[in-house]
Amino acid sequence: VIVSADPRAANRYAAALPSSVTPSCYTDPAEAAAAARAGTDLLVVDLTSPDYDGLRLCARVRSDAETRQLPILAVVSPDDVPKAVRALDLGVNDIIHRPVDAGELNARARTQLRRKRYADRLRSQLDQSLEMAVTDPLTGLHNRRYINSRLRQALASADNGGAPVSVLIADIDHFKSINDLYGHEAGDTVLRGFADRVQKAMRALDLASRYGGEEFLVLMPAAGLAEARI
């Protein structure tokens, strides 16, 4: 996303970007901010225009949870050092001086895009690692370690006068015979099917886990015995 009060300047910036980039040019910072929230990989902001407050746009992008990690490349006047410093203070990733050299803009954009791809990969790997740490890989339910920690919290809260908590423990009868007769893949299908039924029957605040091989536990916060039975 490129934002500049001068459409001709915006088009020059767009032409200088790497060929793999699909640029969108805006003169309205509000429209640019909205576009930045729609899966944008780089924001180029022209801070040399007196027609709008580019620094405010940068601050808005940095304060929005959906665009907080978005790389920002700011175009500044070489003699406006205070604005360049202010932009960096607001979290702009890089600055480039006017008149903008096409080769320099291309190189700086490539650098920011490469960094963003790397950061996105790291965040994705972290999210996957965190999910694996609390999730049973076969059923997609929480694992025993996670549910035990939440169970301790809920019980401690109930013991200290908080809302009641109910726990449902269930297992699948004759599960060993399923594995013996039809194989472990069939057994895995049964476990996944059972987990799916459990999830569809729970309230939004309930937590279900695979507690053991064919054992399942459902933690029901703020549920007395009558609610748990239902």
Side-chain angles (χ1 to χ4, degrees):
V1 168
I2 301 170
V3 54
S4 174
D6 182 355
R8 292 175 298 177
N11 289 331
R12 287 197 300 270
Y13 303 154
L17 293 176
S19 59
S20 59
V21 171
T22 303
S24 300
C25 300
Y26 297 89
T27 57
D28 185 346
E31 293 180 359
R37 301 176 86 247
T40 299
D41 293 310
L42 177 65
L43 176 65
V44 179
V45 183
D46 189 346
L47 300 181
T48 64
S49 174
D51 296 334
Y52 68 89
D53 190 346
L55 290 175
R56 178 174 295 181
L57 172 62
C58 295
R60 179 177 176 181
V61 169
R62 277 291 168 265
S63 63
D64 190 331
E66 292 191 32
T67 56
R68 189 165 295 148
Q69 306 299 331
L70 176 64
I72 303 175
L73 178 58
V75 178
V76 298
S77 297
D79 56 346
D80 196 349
V81 176
K83 180 168 284 188
V85 172
R86 179 60 178 153
L88 293 171
D89 284 343
L90 290 173
V92 167
N93 299 79
D94 198 4
I95 59 174
I96 186 169
H97 292 148
R98 291 192 72 174
V100 174
D101 178 79
E104 183 182 3
L105 177 57
N106 184 289
R108 291 179 183 270
R110 285 182 183 277
T111 298
Q112 294 305 321
L113 291 169
R114 187 165 55 247
R115 288 178 176 174
K116 182 179 186 297
R117 284 194 292 268
Y118 180 65
D120 287 347
R121 250 191 334 267
L122 289 179
R123 276 191 292 272
S124 176
Q125 292 171 358
L126 177 60
D127 289 343
Q128 291 174 6
S129 298
L130 292 174
E131 185 175 353
M132 289 174 64
V134 301
T135 304
D136 172 58
L138 177 63
T139 62
L141 302 180
H142 296 298
N143 60 21
R144 181 170 183 155
R145 177 186 301 176
Y146 177 80
I147 204 69
N148 276 344
S149 67
R150 296 298 301 268
L151 179 58
R152 285 192 294 269
Q153 294 172 5
L155 292 175
S157 175
D159 287 343
N160 290 321
V165 59
S166 293
V167 178
L168 168 68
I169 300 177
D171 68 356
I172 300 176
D173 291 341
H174 315 299
F175 183 74
K176 184 176 182 303
S177 65
I178 296 171
N179 284 332
D180 292 343
L181 287 171
Y182 304 107
H184 288 279
E185 288 189 8
D188 291 348
T189 300
V190 170
L191 291 172
R192 284 192 292 264
F194 184 81
D196 185 57
R197 286 172 168 82
V198 169
Q199 286 182 302
K200 289 178 178 177
M202 297 190 312
R203 303 175 304 166
L205 69 164
D206 294 337
L207 297 172
S209 73
R210 185 183 177 195
Y211 206 66
E214 73 274 18
E215 296 175 334
F216 295 81
L217 185 148
V218 179
L219 176 63
M220 294 174 277
L225 187 57
E227 291 85 359
R229 283 175 171 158
I230 293 171

